Amino acid sequence: MSTYTETVGEKLNDLLEKTYDAEKGFKKAAENVDNTALKSYFKQKAQERYDFGHELKSEIKTFNQDIDKGGSITGSAHRAWMDVKSLFSLDDEESMLEEAIRGEKSAVNEYNNVIKETSLPLSTKSILESQKNKIERGLFRIKTLEDIS
């Protein structure tokens, strides 16, 4: 049977932290766009990340691991960058879409990194694969939104 190692716990907490960051980033993006379809998309993605976070926290607790609280420094810097970019960009909705795509691709890579962990319990691997698949489907959808921004 697979068990949580300290490394797995750290990787899952990193993923949880980035999930919090993504949720905050999507909320911020929704506040900074006028396009109704984009606003709706960003709000939906923020809710999705909120749900992911609770799912990850429950799974981490199931295996008696500590949960780190808060967002990462990188995430705070990323949101600040999105704020600055929205103020100074002539085409801020397109910039935010591009940044969201970059962030989602990065998230898929993060999930793949954790999923490769050999000591990952089956329940955790299943949750991570499901969440990663939702992110990938969202990437496909966001690319269709590029045409309307």
Side-chain angles (χ1 to χ4, degrees):
M1 181 178 136
S2 297
T3 59
Y4 270 50
T5 62
E6 189 174 321
T7 302
V8 169
E10 288 172 8
K11 285 183 178 185
L12 287 174
N13 269 300
D14 285 347
L15 199 57
L16 181 60
E17 197 172 270
K18 289 173 182 165
T19 298
Y20 291 145
D21 292 338
E23 176 191 351
K24 292 172 191 170
F26 282 123
K27 283 180 180 177
K28 181 64 73 177
E31 293 169 8
N32 288 311
V33 296
D34 295 322
N35 181 291
T36 308
L38 286 179
K39 189 176 285 290
S40 174
Y41 175 79
F42 287 139
K43 284 181 179 179
Q44 181 266 322
K45 292 304 285 183
Q47 181 62 50
E48 177 183 85
R49 285 316 204 293
Y50 174 85
D51 295 342
F52 284 6
H54 281 281
E55 204 172 15
L56 286 171
K57 283 194 321 195
S58 293
E59 185 69 7
I60 293 168
K61 285 180 185 176
T62 298
F63 291 92
N64 298 316
Q65 295 292 307
D66 291 330
I67 294 172
D68 295 337
K69 300 279 184 196
S72 70
I73 292 169
T74 304
S76 297
H78 177 77
R79 283 188 302 283
W81 178 89
M82 286 185 82
D83 285 343
V84 169
K85 197 156 189 171
S86 72
L87 289 174
F88 296 109
S89 176
L90 296 175
D91 195 1
D92 55 83
E93 289 183 351
E94 183 177 335
S95 297
M96 286 193 193
L97 254 179
E98 288 170 5
E99 190 57 22
I101 290 169
R102 188 195 65 72
E104 292 294 83
K105 286 179 178 177
S106 176
V108 168
N109 289 334
E110 292 287 334
Y111 273 84
N112 283 334
N113 181 38
V114 179
I115 289 168
K116 285 185 217 173
E117 184 65 48
T118 57
S119 62
L120 205 60
L122 193 55
S123 61
T124 305
K125 187 173 186 173
S126 176
I127 287 168
L128 295 178
E129 286 178 344
S130 172
Q131 290 182 357
K132 180 187 80 142
N133 290 338
K134 286 178 184 174
I135 294 169
E136 288 173 332
R137 283 192 301 275
L139 260 172
F140 179 76
R141 182 168 171 230
I142 201 171
K143 287 179 181 180
T144 64
L145 290 173
E146 280 185 300
D147 297 334
I148 61 172
S149 67

